[in-house]
Amino acid sequence: MPREGGRPTLMLEDLLFDPAARWLSRALERAGVGRFLVVCHQNDQAGAAPCFPQGTIFITTGTEDASEQLMTFLRETEGRVCVVTRPVFLTEDSAKQLVTGSAPQYGSGETGVCQIEAGVLADALDKGETFEGALLRRSVRSEGQGIWWQSVTLLRRDPQRRAEAELTARQSSVWRLMDDGVRIMDPNHVYVGPDVTVGEGTVLLPGAILRGKTRIGAGCEIGPDSMIRDCVIGDHVTVNASQLSESTVEDETTIGPYAYIRPNCHVGREVKVGDFVELKNASIGAGTKIAHLAYVSDADVGRQVNIGCGAVTVNYDGTSKYRTVIGDNAFIGCNSNLVAPVRVGAGAYTAAGSTITADVDDDALAIARSKQVVKRQWAAKGRTNWK
């Protein structure tokens, strides 16, 4: 991972939402590469480590044991090694062709990507050849062509080149999913990171943005205009015009439109999280319905609960946050405020407009609002006085 002019390596700059090094690593992994050795500046290693699989060997440029570590790696490796000496992007197809040799694309244009037998490189270095010299003289060639793999995108510190690389990354990830049986209605308006997996039969609608280590099951519908980051989504889930982060959603659940699921949520099976509902650090039991305009935070909600429009778990007193517990089959009336810490028992009801500050027993009805007073003819008398 070379630096240019003392600046951090381009391989740690993002393409879409992930460093270029992660795109390269994942493409090579999926192509069948099992072991990685990374040579980088000491200040780049912390950023590089999360981009590569566990067990990757990192060598700091210029250290005394760098050559020894490289030789050990080469002696322990059978067959060819792929060598990358410049900041590049490889598409999924190009990485597979490079690793498997299914469609050789070697040439003389220097791209920084080549292949060489591990033992041959080790022997050459043992004999005193330089690393660069050994690559130039002993790397794999195809039918007399040059050594350099041509099907790469070189990364540059240039806004236009970066935009071109991001376009290539987006296209590559979209085609990867389509090869896995995912339907993408408009490939030009879907963005997928290198770690994302999506199950067969899922439909991605325009504006779907899938980031981080998101895993989506089979038969889902995602979008339009939905962003999902670091989430686990089950099978047959619908996410419509919503944002989800660092959470789990189980099978056959419906999210949105315009829902916001913040980190540390677990949403059970067959749950409805409707429009303008926000969840944060909450567990929602199977079959529960939160249809619209509600805030459920720091809460443990049971199964088959109905949470009405405008309901709020009041979790913060200005200094600390507290949890709300709602039992199975409870009914939370519209515009109820549940002031934590508080528990609403199984099968219990809260009347619409109530502010609940004490626990509600199982199967009880809690009414916490002012008694209605009707003053007859009050308005008519007022209008007379107002003239």
Side-chain angles (χ1 to χ4, degrees):
M1 294 176 58
R3 286 186 159 202
E4 296 179 359
R7 302 172 68 179
T9 173
L10 275 168
M11 295 301 290
L12 293 183
E13 293 198 5
D14 282 352
L15 297 178
L16 301 182
F17 310 107
D18 293 89
R22 180 171 291 139
W23 287 93
L24 179 65
S25 167
R26 298 304 181 263
L28 291 173
E29 273 191 285
R30 282 189 280 265
V33 173
R35 300 181 67 214
F36 288 82
L37 180 144
V38 178
V39 181
C40 63
H41 190 279
Q42 61 181 356
N43 293 339
D44 293 337
Q45 185 168 329
C51 298
F52 292 89
Q54 189 173 7
T56 294
I57 299 169
F58 287 91
I59 297 177
T60 301
T61 306
T63 55
E64 293 182 359
D65 63 345
S67 296
E68 181 180 345
Q69 287 182 282
L70 174 60
M71 292 298 293
T72 300
F73 178 86
L74 293 173
R75 293 300 186 193
E76 292 176 349
T77 301
E78 296 183 0
R80 294 178 178 179
V81 291
C82 300
V83 180
V84 180
T85 63
R86 296 182 63 182
V88 298
F89 176 86
L90 287 177
T91 67
E92 297 283 326
D93 287 343
S94 180
K96 289 176 185 176
Q97 291 164 0
L98 171 66
V99 173
T100 63
S102 59
Q105 300 181 50
Y106 295 99
S108 57
E110 203 263 300
T111 63
V113 180
C114 60
Q115 277 193 318
I116 188 170
E117 294 289 337
V120 169
L121 179 56
D123 290 342
L125 296 176
D126 259 347
K127 293 175 182 178
E129 292 189 39
T130 65
F131 183 81
E132 294 79 6
L135 291 183
L136 290 172
R137 284 186 288 271
R138 304 178 186 278
S139 291
V140 173
R141 300 172 187 266
S142 174
E143 299 179 356
Q145 301 298 314
I147 67 169
W148 303 111
W149 187 255
Q150 296 299 294
S151 182
V152 306
T153 299
L154 293 173
L155 303 181
R156 308 284 192 188
R157 295 189 190 277
D158 175 277
Q160 184 174 348
R161 292 290 186 90
R162 180 170 181 168
E164 292 171 356
E166 290 190 308
L167 175 61
T168 303
R170 181 183 59 74
Q171 291 173 332
S172 178
S173 59
V174 164
W175 283 107
R176 169 174 65 86
L177 294 188
M178 289 195 288
D179 287 343
D180 291 338
V182 178
R183 181 187 172 206
I184 301 180
M185 189 172 293
D186 183 354
N188 293 321
H189 293 91
V190 168
Y191 303 83
V192 179
D195 283 322
V196 172
T197 61
V198 181
E200 185 176 2
T202 286
V203 178
L204 302 183
L205 299 177
I209 301 173
L210 309 180
R211 301 176 55 177
K213 297 185 181 297
T214 291
R215 302 200 310 270
I216 296 176
C220 299
E221 182 176 285
I222 308 299
D225 301 323
S226 296
M227 184 163 67
I228 303 176
R229 179 174 59 85
D230 292 319
C231 289
V232 178
I233 309 295
D235 297 336
H236 306 290
V237 171
T238 297
V239 178
N240 177 10
S242 298
Q243 293 199 15
L244 294 75
S245 296
E246 300 175 32
S247 295
T248 297
V249 179
E250 295 189 18
D251 299 349
E252 299 180 359
T253 283
T254 300
I255 308 293
Y258 314 120
Y260 183 23
I261 298 183
R262 293 165 60 187
N264 300 316
C265 289
H266 188 112
V267 182
R269 293 175 59 97
E270 299 180 334
V271 170
K272 165 67 174 176
V273 179
D275 51 290
F276 304 105
V277 172
E278 181 176 345
L279 308 181
K280 189 268 290 184
N281 192 25
S283 174
I284 311 297
T288 287
K289 302 294 185 284
I290 315 173
H292 35 221
L293 295 164
Y295 177 63
V296 180
S297 176
D298 299 303
D300 300 300
V301 180
R303 300 164 61 91
Q304 301 293 333
V305 173
N306 187 88
I307 296 182
C309 176
V312 174
T313 58
V314 184
N315 61 320
Y316 185 51
D317 66 0
T319 58
S320 302
K321 294 184 178 181
Y322 303 92
R323 293 194 75 79
T324 296
V325 178
I326 302 173
D328 295 345
N329 301 296
F331 186 98
I332 307 302
C334 292
N335 292 317
S336 291
N337 294 310
L338 308 181
V339 182
V342 71
R343 177 185 180 276
V344 177
Y349 277 57
T350 66
S354 294
T355 295
I356 305 299
T357 59
D359 290 352
V360 181
D361 295 336
D362 295 353
D363 297 315
L365 167 63
I367 305 173
R369 63 191 185 205
S370 299
K371 184 177 180 179
Q372 180 173 313
V373 175
V374 178
K375 298 186 177 182
R376 300 186 184 280
Q377 293 299 305
W378 180 89
K381 294 175 181 177
R383 283 192 292 272
T384 300
N385 295 332
W386 298 332
K387 291 181 179 180

